[in-house]
Amino acid sequence: MAEKTLNPFEIVQQQIRSACDKLGAEEAVYELLKQPLRTLEVNFPVKMDDGSIRVFTGYRAQHNDALGPAKGGIRFHPGVNFDEVKALSTWMTFKCGVVGVPYGGGKGGITVDPSELSPGELERLSRAYIIAISPVIGEKKDIPAPDVGTNPQIMSWMTDEYSRMRGENVPGIITGKPVAFGGSLARNEATGYGVALMMREAAKKNGLDMKDLRVVVQGFGNVGSFAAMYAEELGAKVVAISDFSCCLVDENGIDVKALREYAAKNKNKFITGFGNGTQELHREAVFGVECDIFSPCALENAITSQNVNQIKARIIVEGANGPTTPEANKVLNEKGLFVVPDILANAGGVTVSYFEWVQNLMNHYWPFDEVQEKQEQLMVKAFNEIISLSEEYNVDMRTAAYMISIKKVADAMKLRGWY
């Protein structure tokens, strides 16, 4: 049966509706949260290497700023569209609320395949985009960060361009920068590290030990690669990993660090051809590999009604944003799988982005271990709060996570007099 909807914005609105109903929140709360406070669409020219001019379309959405300035990544991907950006900004609001960082949700993107651009074209695109959205961002208004298709170098170009416009150095305008340019130690690892921490906490809650568990990771970008690496460091066997090119399987455990080094050397960063005793299958085969923990760490709508019954795991830890459709989520709940939702599981990125922003504003920087320790404290606390609420209301963790976050935002909106 086909999905009723794969529109991420409609999915997040359903999630908000469900949590508001469970909370018994006033209708005004849902009305305020179902749409972003403000959105921007920009069309801007970029000079290509051959001298031609190409016009690109970009977006920025700010979902809610009741708890603090908007915060969220910038995505360069051919599939970027307005509904996706609005959905991602909405998820960011609740992600920030779940871990208790004083931000609202923001998100941006450009409809582009960055792999088709030369380094010079990519730099000019990045600078042109930040100029185009500059009227709505600021270090105390909306702070972007990297996302799919962007990286610390792109964040450096954008920070430099914004600082030029302001006539002063403004490191706090963007997070996810290189450490040499005001970035935080442990930021690059943060999202994947948080996913692995949530694997550990979920295992513990279910009476399991990570050292006895088999993990499967779908997606091997920044999030998936670090999630797999840290899961391995926590003692688990990573028995399957996939990316766009293939799925690698090894029942004895894949050497994740060796695979990270191999992928880093490839021009396209793909994992195909790794060898080292792994079996190479079609990328979709990852859903059928028997394991204890399955972690989708690629794009939204990965787990659908078409493949959910293939998953042979006890625990799902969502490293990607919106990786499970509502129809698939119902199946997971009916089957009794323990699901750590995206707005908690991948909140490590925004948590350490917040730490980077604080360090930028103070001009004082913390060591690597201190950053990871602070991240662990916030995420484990949030995990335990969600567990308690899910047991109190007899709801799944996803609903409980939304309930906690919506209540925080609703209280702030009430105090501000928004309803």
Side-chain angles (χ1 to χ4, degrees):
M1 180 174 150
E3 304 293 331
K4 290 178 185 175
T5 176
L6 289 177
N7 183 313
F9 189 52
E10 292 177 14
I11 289 172
V12 76
Q13 287 180 323
Q14 290 177 31
Q15 293 167 339
I16 297 168
R17 177 83 271 175
S18 175
C20 284
D21 289 346
K22 293 283 185 184
L23 275 172
E26 293 182 43
E27 184 62 21
V29 174
Y30 173 70
E31 291 297 322
L32 283 163
L33 294 178
K34 74 177 185 180
Q35 295 281 353
L37 286 176
R38 60 188 67 87
T39 57
L40 176 68
E41 177 178 337
V42 292
N43 295 282
F44 53 92
V46 174
K47 190 172 186 178
M48 309 306 283
D49 289 346
D50 63 5
S52 66
I53 299 296
R54 183 174 163 189
V55 176
F56 291 87
T57 299
Y59 310 95
R60 190 71 187 170
Q62 296 164 355
H63 176 254
N64 190 282
D65 58 7
L67 288 170
K71 184 82 188 78
I74 295 170
R75 179 173 291 193
F76 288 4
H77 190 271
V80 167
N81 59 70
F82 223 158
D83 274 354
E84 178 188 62
V85 169
K86 289 193 290 185
L88 292 167
S89 74
T90 307
W91 276 315
M92 281 299 300
T93 293
F94 304 122
K95 196 181 298 185
C96 295
V98 159
V99 289
V101 299
Y103 285 142
K107 208 73 178 186
I110 301 173
T111 308
V112 62
D113 183 347
S115 69
E116 295 178 351
L117 303 183
S118 72
E121 290 170 338
L122 190 60
E123 177 176 354
R124 293 193 291 276
L125 176 77
S126 303
R127 290 180 181 275
Y129 172 74
I130 213 69
I131 292 170
I133 67 165
S134 62
V136 301
I137 63 172
E139 59 185 341
K140 295 183 180 176
K141 182 162 57 173
D142 180 1
I143 306 102
D147 196 86
V148 175
T150 57
N151 56 36
Q153 176 59 73
I154 289 172
M155 297 304 104
S156 297
W157 290 328
M158 291 182 176
T159 301
D160 178 67
E161 192 64 35
Y162 187 86
S163 296
R164 285 186 188 185
M165 293 172 65
R166 283 273 297 268
E168 60 181 329
N169 192 35
V170 191
I173 181 58
I174 282 177
T175 59
K177 304 181 297 295
V179 172
F181 188 31
S184 175
L185 292 168
R187 171 61 186 88
N188 196 38
E189 299 85 353
T191 308
Y193 178 60
V195 171
L197 289 176
M198 294 300 96
M199 290 182 189
R200 183 194 71 190
E201 294 305 303
K204 200 185 300 180
K205 175 63 183 172
N206 285 275
L208 304 170
D209 188 326
M210 282 290 283
K211 293 184 174 66
D212 302 323
L213 303 186
R214 297 158 301 166
V215 171
V216 168
V217 176
Q218 184 234 358
F220 203 64
N222 176 269
V223 179
S225 62
F226 279 116
M229 186 187 85
Y230 282 112
E232 185 179 59
E233 287 188 7
L234 290 169
K237 274 186 188 175
V238 181
V239 296
I241 293 170
S242 73
D243 68 358
F244 186 78
S245 68
C246 72
C247 170
L248 299 179
V249 181
D250 186 346
E251 292 180 4
N252 297 315
I254 297 169
D255 185 337
V256 179
K257 288 185 179 175
L259 181 58
R260 279 174 48 81
E261 290 171 6
Y262 172 81
K265 289 175 185 173
N266 287 352
K267 182 182 177 183
N268 53 22
K269 311 299 181 188
F270 287 160
I271 62 175
T272 184
F274 175 62
N276 286 28
T278 59
Q279 184 182 6
E280 192 168 303
L281 306 174
H282 187 275
R283 65 177 185 267
E284 294 299 314
V286 73
F287 295 101
V289 179
E290 195 167 331
C291 62
D292 300 290
I293 300 175
F294 182 85
S295 187
C297 295
L299 295 172
E300 58 267 17
N301 298 325
I303 303 176
T304 70
S305 60
Q306 304 298 305
N307 59 29
V308 65
N309 286 310
Q310 298 174 31
I311 295 174
K312 301 181 181 76
R314 298 190 243 183
I315 296 167
I316 307 286
V317 181
E318 297 181 336
N321 290 307
T324 308
T325 66
E327 287 83 358
N329 191 59
K330 288 175 190 172
V331 176
L332 295 176
N333 288 338
E334 287 166 3
K335 292 172 80 171
L337 272 68
F338 187 91
V339 179
V340 183
D342 53 350
I343 63 169
L344 170 62
N346 69 23
V350 73
T351 300
V352 179
S353 274
Y354 167 65
F355 296 157
E356 179 179 332
W357 179 70
V358 169
Q359 292 170 85
N360 288 158
L361 295 183
M362 293 190 305
N363 201 24
H364 173 72
Y365 294 85
W366 306 326
F368 186 96
D369 290 347
E370 184 176 348
V371 175
Q372 287 205 327
E373 183 182 339
K374 289 177 187 293
Q375 176 186 348
E376 181 176 2
Q377 287 173 351
L378 276 183
M379 293 192 72
V380 172
K381 178 174 179 286
F383 179 92
N384 292 328
E385 287 174 351
I386 291 168
I387 287 289
S388 296
L389 192 74
S390 69
E391 292 173 349
E392 179 186 345
Y393 281 84
N394 192 29
V395 296
D396 61 276
M397 280 194 76
R398 189 185 311 282
T399 303
Y402 275 92
M403 289 168 69
I404 280 179
S405 196
I406 284 172
K407 187 176 186 311
K408 289 178 182 177
V409 177
D411 288 348
M413 292 193 301
K414 183 82 167 178
L415 290 167
R416 286 174 174 268
W418 291 7
Y419 72 97

